[in-house]
Amino acid sequence: MELTGAQILMKVLQEEGVDTIFGYPGGAVIDLYDELSRTTDINHILVRHEQGAVHAADGYARASGKTGVCLVTSGPGATNTVTGIASAYSDSIPIVVITGQVPSKLIGNDAFQEVDIVGITRPCTKHNYLVKDVKDLAYIIKEAFYIASSGRPGPVLIDIPKDLTVAKAKYEVPDKIELKSYNPTYKPNVKQLQKVVELIEKAKKPVIFAGGGIILSKASDQLTKLAKKMSIPVAGSLMGLGGFPGTDLLWLGMLGMHGTYRANMAVSEADLLIAVGVRFDDRVTGKLDEFAANATIVQIDIDPTSIHKNIPVSVPVVGDAKISLGILNELLEKQDFTDIDRQRKPWLDKIDHWKKSTPLAYDQSDIIKPQFVVEQLYSVTNGEAIITTEVGQNQMWAAQYYHLSKPNHWITSGGLGVMGFGLPAAIGAQVACPDKTVVDIAGDGSIQMNIQELATAVQYGLPVKIVILNNRFLGMVRQWQELFYDKRYSCTKMEHAPDFIKLAEAYGAVGFRTEKPSEVRDVLKKGLSIHRTVIMEFIVDREESVYPMVPAGAPITQMLLV
Amino acid sequence: MTEKRHIFSILVDNKPGVLSGIVGLFSGRGYNIESLCVAETNEPDVSRITMVSIGDKPVIEQIKKQLYKLINVIKVNDLTETEYVQRELVLIKVTAKQDQRAEILRIVDIFRGKIVDVGFEHYTIEVTGPVEKLAAILKMLKPMGIKDVARTGNIALPRNQ
Ligand SMILES: Cc1ncc(C[n+]2csc(CCOP(=O)(O)OP(=O)(O)O)c2C)c(N)n1
């Protein structure tokens, strides 16, 4: 039987188990949308801006562990997706973005709403395609899903010319995709892991550094088992939060520029650093030569390019985090470590001393402290909410004070740091997990970058909660200006903002605001109890800063403290 | 760390956009491309890219891994690690006045080149060989007045596989 391109697309999406598409229609995809209206088991969420569609697909993917899907039109629809794609690429999030393209015979003629989106997105996609023949369509879509979700995941874009959506072809897809040029290494070299066992045996001051790879490969259980069995403290990257219980005694907190004192000190003093699913971003390492200078470094990663890129590694292990940690645990199972607690005591005592001497801290006052809001949110939600963030101070306070304990509950634009990410990502997460509390922790600047998505949340009855920490500043930039530019607050004052309560109401959502610390908890409780889209605005101390802070390029032991 | 010249022989799917991906990778990450040569292999759906780049050890290692990461890259060979033969072809348009012609012909002969075009005032010479040989003939011809040069860039294959 012959199907149209549009029918083929829907059929493959169904076979891939896609239940939701985030998108925005237009001329080049009108036939796809027509077919979508007849496809009953795929929901479509109509966002208000294509950037929102990609962030929503990203949030959906992270909350659900599945691949997120977007559908947009050619030209401006396609270019509007670029920031979202670049963010997903930085954070290795599996999404498939389908863009319409002008009809094949017009390509290259500067046709109306034509852009070379394949060329534009080549450096920020894991792979991309311009479909040239409807006969290739089914295969390409299937291949795109395979590439997006396998190995080190990432965004894949498929550009489909309009004429191919109505052209017909026989529906043929292979059961299995095999590519001679793409074969991610899941199984690690066991000899390398044997070396890791020996290093663990000898180590006096071991630390595990866990990143987003733990979440992506669903390796939390294996990580927790390893850390507990061998009594090894665990630090996380921003992307790794939730991969290890944030309330556990072995948890050190986040590492790097705004990492905890104990995490930064422990990594700097460690004699063994076992890095899993991280890429040693400059926000983590600070000055490279002094990073973990006393440690033998083991790095486990599925992407060989992450290894030896920034940091020389003694024991590289190419493989999937879950499989590798699983094997490591099996190897350790065979050893006798009855004495391990006594052996680790001096190291863990030292860490405990750092924790007590220099905890995460802020001064209370009669003005609301943003950290206090996050602490209260943590308490009111029992630490069980899915947290998305915007970018800036709000993001760092969320990372520091919402002690995530489960994977897939922390959704932030880590690598690219996209302001405007949090609200659409929360929408995606809420679609994936309708019964969970989803909260976007936001700044007053960032929230205005994709505020239009309030309409999406309201239209689909998504009860996402938005906590705005309003400091009337682009706070993180202001903080840098305060610390490194003699308080010259160049263009960071947000003197004018909308009335967020009226704004919420105008969109059909609910709004609350308070300036009093004594009301913070009540506002949170009230806001969270309403099963609707809610903005909770907290007027916070304007010039509060995020501490600890390592100045860019300094060693991570050189922390500015409160 | 010392920088070295490396010749990469890269097998890729013969599909549109693949070369652009490779060139984009080099420009985006600030790697050098000294020369680049692309053509089909004996299998029509596979192309060989021969690329000469310069970098220190960590950079060369990253180049190799980053190339592998591209979905359409099938195989990357750093030929500098093995024994290999390399060739490049150059066309040289050189000023050839009456009194220089004999000398030019002698040089061309020594380098086993060919005259492929003649004018009243010039010869165009074709020479193939490894880079050093081409450098040598260019040096010899320079005093005559070189008007133009076109080079193909290096191609190479390992000696035994
Ligand atoms: C799209 C985008 N533009 C600019 C920046 C640079 N930037 C990083 S943090 C920040 C300030 C964010 O202000 P706000 O959202 O109010 O959050 P706060 O830091 O005050 O919590 C800016 C402008 C960015 N990360 N993303």
Side-chain angles (χ1 to χ4, degrees), chain A residues 107-118:
Chain A
I107 292 179
N109 287 2
D110 302 323
F112 177 64
Q113 295 195 328
E114 177 187 359
V115 295
D116 174 13
I117 195 64
V118 166

Side-chain angles (χ1 to χ4, degrees), chain A residues 122 126-127 132 147 152 180-182 303-305 307-309, chain B residues 13 16-17 20-21 46 61-62 65-66 69 71-74:
Chain A
R122 195 167 279 127
K126 185 170 172 186
H127 196 48
K132 296 239 165 133
I147 289 174
R152 176 177 176 178
K180 65 177 167 211
S181 54
Y182 173 71
D303 178 3
T305 66
I307 299 179
H308 288 311
K309 186 172 61 179
Chain B
D13 290 326
S20 163
V46 176
E61 188 188 323
Q62 266 298 313
K65 289 179 181 173
Q66 292 286 355
K69 197 168 159 179
I71 305 287
N72 292 124
V73 169
I74 304 164

